[in-house]
Structures are given as structure tokens and as C-alpha cells.
Amino acid sequence: MTIDSDRTGERRETWRGLVIGVMAGMLSGLFGVGGGLIIVPALLAITRMERKLAHGTSLAATVPIASASLATYAFNGDVDWAIAGWLAAGAVAGAIAGTHLLQVIPKTPLTIIFIVTVIATALRLVLSDETLGRGDLTLWGGVGLVVIGFVAGTLSGLLGIGGGVVMVPAMIVLYSMVPVVAKGTSVAVIVPSSLMGTWRNRSKRNADIRLAAAIGAAGVVSAVIGSTIAGQISDTASNVTFALLLAIVALLQIQSLRTPVRSAPHPAPEAD
């Protein structure tokens, strides 16, 4: 009877993972983000998973979802690979730094700074003019991209915030990139970053790979659909909808300051 109950619980959790994956895939495709904005809160609320394990599982699920988004954006020619290379260099270093800084930097003041920055960026996106594409990339422009990538990677490690919510608006506002290209370039950075993070988390048994596989598999199709839709909407509509996403991110971070999540223990994930 206990074995049957365990199997029923596993099937129920898998089905929940599929639903989470569909929503996360659509978010990733539409906005060029990893999907963790949906996956982490859903895992905490539905499975009562411990937060660190939820972040690791979300990162593993992001790999197939972001890969599907990237394939669609790349097929349509909406990825700036030169920009992605500069950003990735900073993002990988930032992710490593964020993991270490998590132990020494108080999260509350950093979260407040992040909230203010996100709200200001959302307003700037709504008020921005239509972009025509970036100009030639200078050395200092490349250095700026490395810094942006580093900030995105660090915040991802410290706050569990996907780097896309930092990189996409930065590319649009600071480099005048067309929104759909900024989104495609963002997922090009998220894929290798997620792969490295998942490899590290798996070695530390800090990811439920079985559940992540269910979430990721479900999100592949919806990620392709979302990426296709992203290429069809106007720049203005894209900026406004991304500003709304940033507002939601800010609200979630405000909520995290007010009511810290207390999760019940979750069974240790299997290595395979």
C-alpha cells in the first residue's frame, strides 16, 4: 500500500511538473528569459520543495526550455552572436561570484536596490522610442556588455533571478537593439550558463533531475510557440509587455522581503 501511494505521489508530481513546464516554456519564448520566474515559485508552492533544491531543479529544467527558445530565435535570424559572446563571458563569471557572495552579502539591501532598478527600467522601456538596431560594437561597448552579463549572473546567483530580466532591457535601452533580437540573444547566454549551473548542482545533489526533465520536456513546445509569437509583435507591444513582466518581478521580490518562504523538507533527488 505504501509503494502504491509513493507511485501515485510521483505521478501526481510529474503531472504538476508538466503543467509548470508549459507555462515556463511560454514565458521563456515570449520574453527571452529562463522560466525560473514561474518554476521556482510553483515548486515552492506545489511540491513544498526546499528553496535551494527548487532553484537547482529550475535551472536544470531551463536547459531544454531555453534551448528550444534559442533554436527558434536562431532559425529566424534573431540572435546577435557577437553580443551574446560578450555577455556570456560576464554571466559565467558573475554566476560563480554570486554563489560565493551569497554567503557574505546581506540579501535585503541588495534586493531593495534590485527592485528600484527593475521599476526604473520598466518605466524606461514603456517610454522608449522604437529601436532601429545597434551600431558598430566598440571595445568599450564590449566591456559594458561583460559588466551587464556579470551583474545578471551575480543577481541570478544571489537572488535566484534569471539573467534575462537584466540582459534584455539593458540591450534594448543601452544598445538600441530590436526587442526580438535582444530576447534571442538573451537565451543564447542563458543556455550555457544553465548547463554549467546544472552540472555543478547535480554533483552536489542539489537538483531533482527527474522532475526537471518532466518540466523541461513539457516546456519545449510552448517555448517554440512563445518564441514564434515574440517575432510577430511590434517593438512597442514587446516593450510594454516586458515592462509588465518586470513589474511582476518587482512585486515578487517585495513579497519575498515581507514573507520569507518556509518550505517543508523534500525528499533528496536521485542522481539519475
Side-chain angles (χ1 to χ4, degrees), residues 66-198:
S67 296
S69 296
L70 174 59
T72 307
Y73 279 111
F75 179 80
N76 294 323
D78 292 326
V79 178
D80 190 325
W81 295 104
I83 296 289
W86 286 99
L87 286 170
V92 171
I96 296 173
T99 302
H100 293 293
L101 291 175
L102 183 60
Q103 310 302 323
V104 296
I105 292 184
K107 290 182 64 176
T108 298
L110 187 66
T111 301
I112 293 173
I113 294 173
F114 177 74
I115 291 170
V116 173
T117 303
V118 162
I119 293 174
T121 302
L123 292 174
R124 180 66 180 83
L125 280 176
V126 172
L127 298 175
S128 65
D129 298 324
E130 188 168 346
T131 54
L132 300 176
R134 71 171 178 87
D136 293 335
L137 186 62
T138 64
L139 176 60
W140 286 112
V143 172
L145 288 168
V146 173
V147 173
I148 292 170
F150 183 83
V151 171
T154 302
L155 288 176
S156 179
L158 283 170
L159 303 179
I161 296 297
V165 299
V166 175
M167 292 186 289
V168 172
M171 285 185 276
I172 295 172
V173 173
L174 300 179
Y175 289 83
S176 300
M177 289 179 63
V178 177
V180 66
V181 177
K183 294 172 183 177
T185 304
S186 173
V187 290
V189 178
I190 289 172
V191 170
S193 300
S194 299
L195 279 169
M196 175 174 291
T198 298

Side-chain angles (χ1 to χ4, degrees), residues 194-209:
S194 299
L195 279 169
M196 175 174 291
T198 298
W199 176 73
R200 295 179 65 189
N201 284 328
R202 189 176 186 275
S203 65
K204 298 178 181 178
R205 299 180 64 83
N206 193 31
D208 188 331
I209 300 299

